[in-house]
Amino acid sequence: MIFYRHDLSNNQLLDLYKKILKPRLIEEKMLILIRQGKVSKWFSGIGQEAISVGITAALDETEYVLPMHRNLGVFTTRNIPLHRLFSQWQGKANGFTKGRDRSFHFGTQEYNIIGMISHLGPQLGIADGIALADKLQKNKKVTAVFTGEGATSEGDFHEALNIAAVWKLPVIFVIENNGYGLSTPTNEQYSCENLADKGVGYGIESYIIDGNNILEVYNKILQLKAHMQEDPHPVLLEFKTFRMRGHEEASGTKYVPEDMMKEWATKDPVDNYRMFLLDQGILTEEYDTILRGEIKQEIDENLAIANAEPEIVPTYSGELDDVYAPYEYEEVNSKSETRNIRFIDAIRNSLEQSLQRHYRLILMGQDIAEYGGAFKITEGFVDFFGKDRIRNTPICESAVVSAGMGLSINGYKAVVEMQFADFVSTGFNPIVNLLAKSHYRWGEKADVVIRMPCGGGTQAGPFHSQTNEAWFTKTPGLKVVYPAFPYDAKGLLNTSINDPNPVLFFEHKQLYRSVYQDVPIDYYTIPLGKAALLKEGKSVTIIAFGATVHWALETLANNPEIEADLIDLRTLQPLDTEAIFASVKKTGKVIIYQEDTLFGGIASDISALIMEECFEYLDAPVKRVASLDSPIPFTKALEDQFLPKNRFEEVLLELLRY
């Protein structure tokens, strides 16, 4: 192995040695601890330290790094106190996740490190969002994001590279090619000779680097960073390396040929760099012994601190209070004159005023810029706010959602438009596994609103007509909003954008241009989690949201003798159970009306809550009315049969006769 020092001083070379030696000695200690049962799991990076250390050392401490399992050197190079790392690995409260996640599944804004989730791919899209925020601020920062050769098979890898290329984002995409994805060798992962070759297809500058040579890593990153600061653009780097331990310690390495293990042992990044320094007279055996002793003492002292820390004592409040980021609702009332506008105009009005109110708010979605979006809601926005803030995206929902998370991490707000709510399935993973869990896992907000044009009645067929709110009401950490009127749509969307938590904002397409209401011209807010009582009566409680509210109003208009409480939920998560229970206790009968299919819909949970909390007040079984348990069809006759509109009145009258 040949080392070129370039213009690095002896002190700089020694500093790099200290940085690469430290994670190696920690790893050796961890292997002892895991055999003693003092750590539950460990993903070893022995053999790969030069990549983590070389890259992190070349970046400023204010630049974000997004590491993976085997990147201990990132954390130690950023000088995180070791006792906090030990606490994290032991599930102690002084770690970074309060015992809620393990190993390197955490981030820390204090050290500008954003940890991974086990689904791997979304990490790359987050880097896009972080880099976009930096580029918008023109601060000449770069972002480095790590992945393994196995994860390059995931769609998120390709989506993130494409976005970075199209938007010319200063992202260093780091592939640690260590030969195996758990036990699957590279020849079963991809057929191209080198992963760096994939950069050509995206118009991205790419290089192959010896991942075991810390000087080659460090100097190349310094060189690339200097170019990227003057001309923002992404770079794809493939680091050829090898892990000398198993995927995690329990896996072992029996699947690796013995001659391969021996070959890579001769390329050890720590030992070879040490020999170089000794040969050059920069390091002496005596100083190396002293240095190792100091690091081992630091490890032992910090391990003692973590060991002395008490085990976590769980409490219900402690867990539940951290699911959402703290948010103090800001009530803004408008005394301005009103204008009679459509539902779609209210959405547009909210976005426009929120963009004026939050100068770091970015809108992203397919065709939302010059074209104005599929429903023309953002038409003309580019002329006023510019393309930096009104951003057309490639067709890649997963990476766009992840980029929204990256914007949030780096101090921005994001509103992502799903062209149709149906398409959210291709962005499902980052919503339910990244956005929803981030605050609970390591205290990081996810300031992202996802707009969801949804619903049937327009003969748009199975892929453009779903109302899929139940996919998300089940996921702790998400908020789900579903207004039925223009006034509510504007006020609730304003609040959703203000809220630092992830919000799924459902907008029924059939209401866009059919429902009008007097709406204040100026900005105002409506709190999430508060239902609206639209009609009052003593005979029955009708619970509805979205289009079913209007269908229920039609039914009541055709049956004026029915004395009903009509509750428009407006928000499904958080749910206004107080309003629901108060009405049910008054009327004794309840019917829940949803457009979603029956089984597994939110009506089922509301019914269960009523049975648990209001059973003694009920005079009849709780009724649910919903669409057929089939995909939504295209032809009008079939769609009319599918939707619950024609069945509601019959079930309501039957309930009243009970």
Side-chain angles (χ1 to χ4, degrees):
M1 188 176 294
I2 301 174
F3 293 92
Y4 295 102
R5 64 182 295 168
H6 296 285
D7 57 353
L8 298 177
S9 68
N10 287 353
N11 285 338
Q12 287 176 304
L13 294 173
L14 277 174
D15 183 62
L16 285 174
Y17 180 63
K18 294 175 186 177
K19 285 180 165 62
I20 197 173
L21 180 60
K22 193 171 189 176
R24 172 61 62 87
L25 295 180
I26 292 172
E27 288 247 30
E28 291 175 355
K29 186 70 172 183
M30 294 304 296
L31 296 179
I32 295 172
L33 294 177
I34 198 166
R35 285 195 294 270
Q36 294 174 343
K38 295 179 179 178
V39 176
S40 64
K41 198 159 190 171
W42 185 252
F43 295 88
S44 177
I46 289 178
Q48 300 184 199
E49 296 95 338
I51 306 170
S52 301
V53 172
I55 290 173
T56 310
L59 300 181
D60 295 337
E61 290 187 353
T62 59
E63 292 176 310
Y64 281 95
V65 183
L66 293 83
M68 300 289 278
H69 281 118
R70 266 168 277 284
N71 299 125
L72 173 59
V74 169
F75 299 87
T76 55
T77 303
R78 282 280 162 94
N79 295 312
I80 293 180
L82 296 189
H83 64 88
R84 292 208 66 191
L85 290 176
F86 286 127
S87 292
Q88 169 66 24
W89 301 330
Q90 293 180 14
K92 301 287 185 70
N94 199 40
F96 294 90
T97 64
K98 300 182 182 179
R100 294 167 183 159
D101 215 335
R102 62 187 182 184
S103 61
F104 295 103
H105 288 260
F106 71 92
T108 163
Q109 286 281 19
E110 183 180 357
Y111 297 95
N112 291 295
I113 296 173
I114 306 303
M116 57 174 290
I117 65 171
S118 289
H119 297 71
L120 306 178
Q123 188 84 327
L124 300 156
I126 296 173
D128 283 348
I130 291 173
L132 173 59
D134 284 331
K135 184 177 180 180
L136 292 173
Q137 296 175 78
K138 299 185 170 119
N139 59 22
K140 295 192 173 183
K141 293 181 180 180
V142 304
T143 300
V145 59
F146 289 69
T147 194
E149 82 290 331
T152 64
S153 300
E154 290 190 335
D156 291 78
F157 172 80
H158 303 278
E159 291 186 12
L161 260 64
N162 192 47
I163 288 176
V166 172
W167 290 354
K168 294 180 170 55
L169 300 176
V171 180
I172 300 173
F173 291 98
V174 177
I175 303 174
E176 293 180 296
N177 190 344
N178 60 26
Y180 288 88
L182 206 158
S183 68
T184 305
T186 54
N187 65 349
E188 295 180 27
Q189 291 278 359
Y190 56 88
S191 62
C192 57
E193 183 177 353
N194 299 300
L195 288 167
D197 297 339
K198 293 180 182 288
V200 177
Y202 295 102
I204 291 179
E205 183 181 345
S206 61
Y207 301 91
I208 298 171
I209 298 172
D210 181 354
N212 285 29
N213 187 323
I214 190 169
L215 295 190
E216 185 174 339
V217 175
Y218 179 71
N219 286 309
K220 190 63 176 180
I221 297 298
L222 286 178
Q223 177 192 42
L224 291 171
K225 178 181 171 181
H227 293 159
M228 294 167 72
Q229 287 176 317
E230 298 307 315
D231 175 26
H233 64 277
V235 176
L236 177 64
L237 305 179
E238 180 183 3
F239 292 89
K240 302 289 189 179
T241 186
F242 193 77
R243 54 173 166 83
M244 299 302 294
R245 310 291 301 183
H247 171 74
E248 38 81 29
E249 284 307 303
S251 302
T253 57
K254 291 182 179 180
Y255 49 83
V256 181
E258 187 176 347
D259 58 344
M260 183 180 290
M261 292 291 292
K262 290 179 179 178
E263 178 187 355
W264 278 100
T266 66
K267 301 177 182 180
D268 185 281
V270 179
D271 291 346
N272 279 287
Y273 187 52
R274 174 179 175 273
M275 292 305 299
F276 164 73
L277 295 177
L278 288 170
D279 290 344
Q280 296 294 310
I282 299 168
L283 176 69
T284 66
E285 294 282 4
E286 292 77 14
Y287 183 62
D288 187 37
T289 301
I290 292 171
L291 187 57
R292 288 170 182 267
E294 289 175 348
I295 294 174
K296 288 179 179 179
Q297 182 178 349
E298 180 187 1
I299 292 171
D300 290 339
E301 289 174 353
N302 280 268
L303 186 57
I305 294 172
N307 288 339
E309 190 180 345
E311 299 293 332
I312 288 176
V313 178
T315 63
Y316 287 126
S317 61
E319 291 298 281
L320 296 176
D321 289 349
D322 279 350
V323 172
Y324 295 102
Y327 170 57
E328 288 189 19
Y329 166 68
E330 179 187 359
E331 184 172 357
V332 180
N333 296 309
S334 174
K335 296 182 180 178
S336 69
E337 62 179 295
T338 62
R339 187 185 314 159
N340 191 256
I341 61 174
R342 302 167 299 176
F343 191 104
I344 198 169
D345 303 320
I347 298 293
R348 174 186 173 88
N349 200 208
S350 168
L351 292 173
E352 190 172 27
Q353 292 178 357
S354 293
L355 283 161
Q356 294 166 351
R357 187 179 179 89
H358 302 287
Y359 74 96
R360 284 192 168 188
L361 172 61
I362 307 297
L363 307 191
M364 298 188 292
Q366 295 162 26
D367 305 299
I368 70 166
E370 289 86 352
Y371 186 72
F375 301 98
K376 301 298 182 182
I377 288 176
T378 53
E379 190 171 21
F381 276 27
V382 167
D383 296 335
F384 194 82
F385 299 106
K387 290 203 72 170
D388 278 348
R389 300 184 67 192
I390 314 300
R391 306 189 73 89
N392 281 337
T393 69
I395 301 175
C396 50
E397 286 82 3
S398 186
V400 172
V401 171
S402 298
M405 181 67 190
L407 284 167
S408 174
I409 285 169
N410 209 358
Y412 279 70
K413 289 178 176 287
V415 173
V416 176
E417 177 186 301
M418 291 291 153
Q419 198 166 70
F420 291 87
D422 313 66
F423 299 165
V424 77
S425 55
T426 58
F428 192 73
N429 176 36
I431 294 173
V432 301
N433 286 312
L434 178 62
L435 270 61
K437 296 178 172 66
S438 289
H439 189 265
Y440 172 77
R441 288 173 51 243
W442 59 280
E444 179 61 28
K445 69 185 187 307
D447 203 343
V448 182
V449 175
I450 301 174
R451 292 184 42 238
M452 301 278 283
C454 66
T458 59
Q459 292 82 61
F463 304 120
H464 297 77
S465 306
Q466 295 174 87
T467 172
N468 45 16
E469 67 280 350
W471 294 359
F472 305 102
T473 53
K474 172 67 181 71
T475 304
L478 300 176
K479 296 187 178 183
V480 181
V481 181
Y482 204 144
F485 295 95
Y487 177 84
D488 294 337
K490 178 178 176 179
L492 290 169
L493 183 53
N494 287 338
T495 301
S496 298
I497 293 170
N498 293 339
D499 195 321
N501 293 285
V503 179
L504 279 294
F505 195 90
F506 285 82
E507 306 162 11
H508 201 289
K509 305 188 304 292
Q510 198 175 43
L511 304 183
Y512 271 160
R513 292 176 170 84
S514 64
V515 177
Y516 288 73
Q517 196 176 28
D518 291 337
V519 177
I521 294 174
D522 290 347
Y523 183 91
Y524 64 92
T525 59
I526 296 174
L528 305 189
K530 296 293 183 182
L533 184 61
L534 302 182
K535 283 185 172 294
E536 291 192 61
K538 60 184 180 181
S539 300
V540 65
T541 297
I542 302 172
I543 300 170
F545 56 93
T548 59
V549 173
H550 297 278
W551 300 344
L553 285 169
E554 289 178 26
T555 299
L556 292 176
N558 293 331
N559 296 271
E561 73 282 1
I562 297 176
E563 298 180 1
D565 268 6
L566 175 56
I567 297 175
D568 176 6
L569 291 175
R570 303 197 296 189
T571 303
L572 307 183
Q573 184 62 266
L575 184 66
D576 191 351
T577 55
E578 183 179 347
I580 293 171
F581 297 158
S583 177
V584 173
K585 289 175 181 178
K586 179 181 72 172
T587 67
K589 294 181 178 180
V590 58
I591 185 169
I592 308 163
Y593 197 6
Q594 69 181 30
E595 184 178 337
D596 191 11
T597 52
L598 183 64
F599 189 85
I602 192 172
S604 300
D605 272 287
I606 295 173
S607 175
L609 285 167
I610 292 169
M611 293 293 288
E612 290 173 357
E613 301 294 332
C614 305
F615 181 76
E616 64 270 30
Y617 296 92
L618 291 174
D619 297 323
V622 176
K623 289 293 184 180
R624 296 170 297 150
V625 179
S627 293
L628 297 182
D629 282 324
S630 74
I632 183 169
F634 154 58
T635 303
K636 187 177 188 309
L638 293 175
E639 186 184 50
D640 287 347
Q641 175 183 259
F642 168 85
L643 294 171
K645 188 174 181 180
N646 294 328
R647 295 186 293 277
F648 175 71
E649 182 175 342
E650 179 183 348
V651 178
L652 175 61
L653 294 175
E654 179 185 344
L655 176 62
L656 289 169
R657 290 192 296 267
Y658 187 90

